[in-house]
Amino acid sequence: EEAGTHPPSARPGRRRSAAGACSPMTADMRGAGEAESTRPGSEEQVPLYEEFIYCCGAATQVLKCGPWKDLLETESKTLPRLLFLIIPGNPGLAGYYRTFIRALYHGLNRRYPVWVVSHAGHCKPPNGMGMTQDTDIKELEDVFGLHGQIEHKLDFLRKNVPKDMKLVLIGHSIGCYITLEMMKRASELQVLRSVLLFPTIERMAQSPQGKLLTPVLCKLRYILYMPVYLLSFLPERVKTSMVRFVLRGLKYPDEASIVTSLNLFSVDCVANVLYMASQEMMKVVERDSTTIKQNLKKLIFYYGVADNWCPQQYFEEIKMDFPDGDIRLCEKGIRHAFVLDASREVAAMITDWLQDILTRL
């Protein structure tokens, strides 16, 4: 799940869009915003809208559940009271969360929009759209790096969500670190609750998986580019078969995850994924206990029992430091990368956890 260096098309110095710009891709290039229908019977035909935009000059995919396509242009009388925003793990592909946001939206009785925004440069942009936006104006430095991704999410909110909109942030894996940073850097955000799923918020390089992958991510990631480049020429059906083979250990793999994984046959996407991951190993070191303490009543932590990115020891230590916090340990055997096979189960749990704030709205 946790798996970012600049690809040739996105090296520092390349001209990008004006800092903070979030410009949508034209509809004739992708049909952005078109509703995607679900299989009969799945979440009762929940509507899903897909958009590709430039945010901070980088290609960004946004998936939206619900009829509220543009919150800034929606009339106040029909404006929802609350937005659920998903901050993904790494790879930060919005498509991995298709089933999750549909299930969550359905579980919320379709009363509130549920959006997921990809990490900058992690999605393969559609034909006619580059990984970065060409312009003469200097763009946000290092948007593909970890701290650039934090500013990318804050800029997305500034450009797409009314300032007084109440928020529930749901972070997954490194998305939990980003969520905490967003709350720290933008205290004006109207965050009612933040749900932190399998939170990689400390000592990533010291975790079992971190010890294994840090040398590769920080020193050897470039050698992965050539095989990915060669594999990118394979027919789609062969790539799909390869993904199914990799995921063969899952009892009921999510079809959305299989389709989304095809993005990882793009060198640019993989380069950005690995570059961000290398920064995670170096920068996610000490837990930000100050921000946690300041926002403790708004936070829900959910740790895995056998999670090699945030082991049970991390759960026990944070539980000891914050005995009054809502800090839970998974007893259902759900994997760190829950989007692969447990999206509906996790969505149902979150709906249950948030009943207190939902009944007060």
Side-chain angles (χ1 to χ4, degrees), residues 71 82-88 97 100-101 104 108 112-117 150 152-158 161-162 165-199 291 295 297-302 338 346 350-351 353-354 357-358:
L71 295 178
L82 182 64
L83 169 67
F84 284 72
L85 183 67
I86 317 300
I87 311 297
Y97 299 83
F100 178 62
I101 64 172
L104 187 57
L108 295 166
Y112 311 108
V114 183
W115 295 3
V116 55
V117 55
I150 298 163
H152 172 264
K153 306 306 174 293
L154 290 172
D155 194 72
F156 174 81
L157 282 173
R158 283 193 292 268
V161 179
M165 175 66 68
K166 293 179 172 61
L167 300 170
V168 169
L169 302 177
I170 301 177
H172 174 216
S173 192
I174 194 61
C176 300
Y177 176 88
I178 292 174
T179 297
L180 288 174
E181 281 290 317
M182 290 169 68
M183 296 175 75
K184 176 182 176 180
R185 299 184 189 190
S187 57
E188 70 277 6
L189 293 176
Q190 303 293 309
V191 179
L192 297 185
R193 200 65 54 93
S194 287
V195 181
L196 308 180
L197 303 169
F198 307 99
T291 298
N295 297 278
K297 291 183 179 180
K298 297 180 179 180
L299 302 174
I300 299 175
F301 294 86
Y302 192 68
F338 75 89
V346 174
I350 292 173
T351 305
W353 297 342
L354 298 178
I357 65 166
L358 296 178

Side-chain angles (χ1 to χ4, degrees), residues 11-22:
R11 296 187 189 280
R14 181 175 172 84
R15 294 175 302 153
R16 305 189 187 115
S17 70
C22 283

Side-chain angles (χ1 to χ4, degrees), residues 226-238:
M226 183 53 72
V228 171
Y229 174 73
L230 295 174
L231 291 171
S232 70
F233 292 101
L234 291 173
E236 292 298 295
R237 67 179 186 279
V238 176

Side-chain angles (χ1 to χ4, degrees), residues 204-206 209-219 281:
M204 285 191 68
Q206 294 177 38
Q209 197 77 344
K211 288 178 181 177
L212 189 68
L213 291 181
T214 296
V216 177
L217 292 170
C218 294
K219 297 178 182 177
M281 300 306 119

Side-chain angles (χ1 to χ4, degrees), residues 182-358:
M182 290 169 68
M183 296 175 75
K184 176 182 176 180
R185 299 184 189 190
S187 57
E188 70 277 6
L189 293 176
Q190 303 293 309
V191 179
L192 297 185
R193 200 65 54 93
S194 287
V195 181
L196 308 180
L197 303 169
F198 307 99
T200 53
I201 56 174
E202 60 179 307
R203 294 175 285 172
M204 285 191 68
Q206 294 177 38
S207 68
Q209 197 77 344
K211 288 178 181 177
L212 189 68
L213 291 181
T214 296
V216 177
L217 292 170
C218 294
K219 297 178 182 177
L220 303 173
R221 63 180 183 270
Y222 304 99
I223 66 174
L224 299 174
Y225 296 172
M226 183 53 72
V228 171
Y229 174 73
L230 295 174
L231 291 171
S232 70
F233 292 101
L234 291 173
E236 292 298 295
R237 67 179 186 279
V238 176
K239 297 177 187 174
T240 303
S241 296
M242 292 176 67
V243 172
R244 289 189 185 279
F245 179 77
V246 171
L247 300 179
R248 67 193 182 282
L250 301 178
K251 208 169 189 178
Y252 303 108
D254 190 320
E255 285 298 315
S257 294
I258 292 170
V259 174
T260 300
S261 295
L262 297 179
N263 283 269
L264 300 178
F265 287 92
S266 160
V267 176
D268 282 359
C269 293
V270 168
N272 287 330
V273 164
L274 296 179
Y275 174 61
M276 179 178 169
S278 69
Q279 291 204 344
E280 292 169 33
M281 300 306 119
M282 295 182 286
K283 295 184 177 182
V284 183
V285 182
E286 290 185 18
R287 185 208 315 148
D288 186 357
S289 294
T290 302
T291 298
I292 292 172
K293 184 177 180 180
Q294 290 171 347
N295 297 278
L296 191 60
K297 291 183 179 180
K298 297 180 179 180
L299 302 174
I300 299 175
F301 294 86
Y302 192 68
Y303 282 81
V305 171
D307 189 338
N308 287 326
W309 281 111
C310 38
Q312 191 168 336
Q313 174 194 347
Y314 292 8
F315 159 78
E316 291 166 354
E317 291 173 359
I318 192 173
K319 186 77 173 172
M320 192 177 299
D321 291 346
F322 299 100
D324 297 329
D326 191 343
I327 305 169
R328 306 164 186 244
L329 185 65
C330 175
E331 298 176 352
K332 303 184 179 186
I334 298 174
R335 70 183 73 243
H336 183 90
F338 75 89
V339 291
L340 297 179
D341 60 355
S343 290
R344 290 182 178 87
E345 195 171 0
V346 174
M349 287 192 301
I350 292 173
T351 305
D352 186 53
W353 297 342
L354 298 178
Q355 283 307 309
D356 62 329
I357 65 166
L358 296 178

